[in-house]
Amino acid sequence: MTASASGKTSRSEFYIIARLDLDDSAVDVYSKIFEAPGSGRHAGEWSRSWSLPVRPGTAADLERLDRLLAGAGYRRSSGWRKRITASGAVRYFADATASSYAGIRTR
């Protein structure tokens, strides 16, 4: 848990979705902020904070995406779960934590 500027305690949880599509490999980071009661903020739905793209034309695999996450201050806290979306796309899902809440990019 971390303290916000207003003195309220908050924590953030991250959910990541990886795509290994040809010329469009990336990890999308979703977050959900929980604020102390009475802060005026709500624990709403997950919202995409940002994407970590792999340079176009560069081969990517889950190991490379783990390194990409680590470089941005995130660490997977669960194993990758493979799923096929309704459109037939293959995606990999996992939970993540941030090594330094103050240092992560959220937009």
Side-chain angles (χ1 to χ4, degrees), residues 19 21 83-91 93:
R19 59 182 187 271
D21 300 338
R83 294 187 185 153
I84 299 175
T85 67
S87 66
V90 175
R91 297 293 182 256
F93 297 77

Side-chain angles (χ1 to χ4, degrees), residues 3 5 19 35 41 50 56 62 71 78 81 88-89:
R19 59 182 187 271
E35 292 284 346
R41 294 190 67 180
W50 66 306
L62 292 175
S78 70
R81 299 175 301 276

Side-chain angles (χ1 to χ4, degrees), residues 21-26 52-60 64:
D21 300 338
L22 186 61
D23 286 332
D24 188 28
S25 296
L52 298 167
V54 174
R55 190 170 25 135
T58 304
R64 180 171 180 150

Side-chain angles (χ1 to χ4, degrees), residues 1 9 11-12 37 41 43 47-48 57-58 65 68-69 75 80 85 91 94 99 104:
M1 295 233 184
T9 301
R11 65 184 168 93
S12 187
R41 294 190 67 180
S47 62
R48 187 168 77 178
T58 304
L65 293 181
L68 189 66
L69 282 166
R75 192 181 96 215
W80 290 111
T85 67
R91 297 293 182 256
S99 58
I104 59 172

Side-chain angles (χ1 to χ4, degrees), residues 16 62 66 76-82 92-95:
I16 53 179
L62 292 175
D66 278 338
R76 241 183 341 101
S77 57
S78 70
W80 290 111
R81 299 175 301 276
K82 181 179 177 179
Y92 297 87
F93 297 77
D95 300 305

